[in-house]
Structure formats: structure tokens, C-alpha cells
């Protein structure tokens, strides 16, 4: 099956969302659309559409002009078995004591590793991205230093890799939340796949806005592997939900964005504990009080 893609960028999120909705009115229409903030510090947004037939180029041009977007770039993708492709591309990842693998690599799990299985169909956020592996390395380092955490939350959990890693180390339940209901479903499936039902509780929530997250606070460890903007916006809530002397592990930010995030958390009473770069991405560990 041939797939056609159409991509454009623009500077305003509301305009990007509006353009994404208008794409659905096209004939032939897309089978999927998306809006993503471009992670290069530019503040621009990418709007994408995926089509089973070649989209109407004139209609795309008119939509781009009407919404102040760049002209759409249309490409034709050959038929691909994407799951097979991901299996080939996603080699196992070692991040400290943690070993992330797909079922096709089960025979490669080291005997002394803390293993987390994420199959190809659920591959987003498996640890191959520098932000996820950076958070896992930070968690491994804290554990190696003798820290043990009994109240853990993973805010913006994605596939729940970080929540599951903490649940593998300590017996208390971990709360994992995401604003995206699809991510929450994927997280729950990964939790079941790793035999951690009841140990990782998956919730749909924006930030800490959920009764269970509020009731379980304060936390002695909080993960937030999201983006710079939400990290800065969450700083006051992080301080409110983090226990005195508790830790937060923050990532999803480019190296040049780290100082702004550090400043936002220092203003809320956090102290920088560690800062490490993983390629173009930075992982921060900060401690409250």
C-alpha cells in the first residue's frame, strides 16, 4: 500500500490545530493527521497529513496560505512493513542496569540486567531517544548511590518506560500519567507485557490534575520527560507535589534550553543535583530543599 505524506510548518499552535482540522475536509481525505512542536527551540509547529491517495495539491496550497503556513511538502512513501522495519532498526538499549528490548531480542538480555520489554508496535519512547535513556541513566545513578524511593510519579509517561523501571527497583506502586489517552492505553499494555499490573497505575491527566495523583502526593521521585515549555510551566506544581529533599528527573529539553529550566526550578526551591548531555538532549536531576 502506497502512502502519501503532506507536511508544513507554522509559528502558532492554534493555527496549526485549525489547519490540521481543515485537512480532514479534503477530498481525498487523510487517514490521519498530527500536530507536533518542532524540538529545535524555534517555537514552530509541524502539521502532517497521511493519505492513501495523492492529495489535492491546489487545495493544500490554499489551506497553507489561509493559515499562514509554509507550502506543503508532499511525498510518496513506498509500501513498507513498518513493524518489521522497526524491529530491524531498534537494537536493544542498555542504560545503566536497565536493558530495553523487543521480543525478537529476548535471547540477548544479560542475566544481571533489569529488563524491560517494549515490542516494535509500541516503540515510541523505548529508550532509543536520548531523553529516555538519559532519564534511565539518572535513575540508575540515584539507585547506585543508595537512594530508595517509595512514592514515584511519571508525568507525561508516554509508554511508561520510566515508571516501569522504577517499579522494577522498588515494591511500591508507581503512578504514570499522560494527557494523551492513546499513550495511556499503550502504557497500560506495556505494563501488562512486563507483568507489572498493579505495580504501575496508568492515568489520563494533564500534569498532576487527577484525584489519585493529588492524594498520593508528596512524591520522593518525579519523572517528567516532556518538553521545555511544559517543564517550565509545571515547576510550581512540581514543587507542590515533591517531598522535601525529594528528586525530580527532567528531560525532553535541548542542551541550550537547560539553563532556562534550571532557573525555573531553582525559583521554586530546587537545587541542581546533576546535569548530563546525551547527544543534543540534556537530562537534569534536581532536588527540593
Amino acid at each position: 500500500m502506497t502512502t502519501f505524506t503532506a507536511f508544513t510548518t507554522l509559528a502558532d499552535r492554534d493555527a496549526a490545530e485549525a489547519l490540521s482540522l481543515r485537512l480532514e475536509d479534503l477530498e481525498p481525505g487523510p487517514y490521519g493527521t498530527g500536530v507536533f512542536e518542532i524540538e529545535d527551540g524555534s517555537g514552530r509547529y509541524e502539521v502532517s497529513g497521511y493519505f492513501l491517495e495523492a492529495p489535492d495539491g491546489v487545495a493544500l496550497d490554499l489551506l497553507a496560505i489561509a493559515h499562514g503556513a509554509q507550502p506543503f511538502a508532499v511525498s510518496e512513501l513506498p509500501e513498507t512493513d513498518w513493524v518489521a522495519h522497526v524491529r530491524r532498526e531498534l537494537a536493544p538499549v542498555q542504560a545503566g542496569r536497565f536493558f530495553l528490548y523487543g521480543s525478537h531480542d529476548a535471547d540477548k538480555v544479560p542475566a544481571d540486567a533489569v529488563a524491560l520489554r517494549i515490542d516494535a508496535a509500541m516503540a515510541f519512547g523505548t529508550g532509543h531517544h536520548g531523553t529516555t535513556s538519559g532519564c534511565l541513566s539518572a535513575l540508575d545513578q540515584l539507585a547506585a548511590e543508595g537512594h530508595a524511593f517509595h512514592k514515584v510519579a511519571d508525568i507525561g509517561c508516554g509508554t511508561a518506560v520510566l515508571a516501569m523501571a522504577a517499579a522494577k527497583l522498588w515494591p511500591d506502586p508507581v503512578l504514570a500519567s499522560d494527557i494523551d489517552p492513546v499513550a495511556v492505553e499503550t502504557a497500560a499494555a506495556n505494563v501488562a507485557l512486563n507483568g507489572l499490573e498493579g505495580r504501575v497505575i496508568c492515568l489520563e491527566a494533564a500534569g498532576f490534575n487527577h484525584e489519585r495523583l493529588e492524594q498520593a502526593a508528596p512524591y520522593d521521585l518525579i519523572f517528567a520527560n516532556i518538553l521545555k515549555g511544559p517543564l517550565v510551566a509545571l515547576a510550581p506544581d512540581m514543587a507542590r507535589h515533591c517531598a522535601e529533599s525529594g528528586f525530580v528527573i527532567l528531560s525532553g529539553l535541548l542542551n541550550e534550553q537547560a539553563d532556562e529550566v534550571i532557573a525555573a526550578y531553582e525559583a521554586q526551591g530546587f537545587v541542581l543535583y546533576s546535569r548530563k548531555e546525551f547527544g543534543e538532549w540534556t537530562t537534569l536531576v534536581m532536588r527540593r530543599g
Side-chain angles (χ1 to χ4, degrees):
M1 178 177 62
T2 299
T3 299
F4 296 86
T5 62
F7 293 93
T8 187
T9 63
L10 63 171
D12 181 78
R13 184 179 185 89
D14 290 340
E17 296 282 2
L19 177 54
S20 178
L21 287 173
R22 289 296 307 279
L23 283 178
E24 297 178 4
D25 296 333
L26 293 178
E27 289 293 340
Y31 67 84
T33 62
V35 176
F36 304 95
E37 183 175 6
I38 301 172
E39 296 179 343
D40 61 359
S42 67
R44 294 186 66 82
Y45 294 84
E46 178 184 279
V47 178
S48 55
Y50 302 87
F51 301 80
L52 298 179
E53 301 177 49
D56 185 331
V58 174
L60 287 174
D61 288 341
L62 291 173
L63 283 177
I65 293 169
H67 290 80
Q70 295 294 314
F72 276 92
V74 179
S75 302
E76 181 179 347
L77 301 178
E79 183 176 353
T80 304
D81 182 343
W82 288 109
V83 171
H85 174 76
V86 169
R87 284 177 174 169
R88 288 193 298 270
E89 295 297 321
L90 294 186
V93 169
Q94 184 105 35
R97 72 192 68 195
F98 301 105
F99 187 86
L100 294 95
Y101 70 100
S103 57
H104 54 292
D105 285 319
D107 59 334
K108 299 178 182 177
V109 178
D112 59 347
V114 176
L116 294 166
R117 175 180 161 187
I118 307 289
D119 279 338
M122 301 175 181
F124 178 78
T126 60
H128 293 76
H129 198 282
T131 61
T132 310
S133 57
C135 290
L136 288 171
S137 295
L139 176 62
D140 177 66
Q141 183 61 41
L142 288 173
E145 292 171 359
H147 297 285
F149 301 105
H150 304 288
K151 287 190 175 183
V152 180
D154 183 1
I155 305 299
C157 66
T159 52
V161 166
L162 303 177
M164 292 192 297
K168 288 272 190 174
L169 296 183
W170 301 291
D172 300 273
V174 177
L175 297 182
S177 70
D178 201 286
I179 195 171
D180 183 351
V182 175
V184 176
E185 291 178 5
T186 301
N190 285 329
V191 168
L193 186 67
N194 285 273
L196 292 171
E197 300 100 321
R199 301 279 308 286
V200 176
I201 312 300
C202 301
L203 308 170
E204 183 180 342
F208 292 92
N209 188 22
H210 193 285
E211 183 180 6
R212 293 200 61 173
L213 287 167
E214 294 286 354
Q215 289 176 346
Y219 300 94
D220 47 11
L221 175 64
I222 304 172
F223 297 103
N225 181 17
I226 39 181
L227 294 170
K228 183 205 78 174
L231 284 176
V232 171
L234 271 173
D237 258 1
M238 284 285 199
R240 188 165 65 88
H241 290 85
C242 185
E244 190 71 24
S245 299
F247 289 88
V248 294
I249 297 177
L250 312 174
S251 197
L253 58 149
L254 295 163
N255 297 333
E256 59 267 24
Q257 298 171 334
D259 287 340
E260 184 178 347
V261 175
I262 291 170
Y265 280 75
E266 287 179 338
Q268 299 297 326
F270 288 92
V271 177
L272 182 64
Y273 188 84
S274 71
R275 170 180 181 167
K276 293 185 180 179
E277 295 183 358
F278 296 82
E280 61 183 332
W281 303 94
T282 290
T283 295
L284 303 173
V285 179
M286 304 199 69
R287 193 169 195 176
R288 182 167 177 261

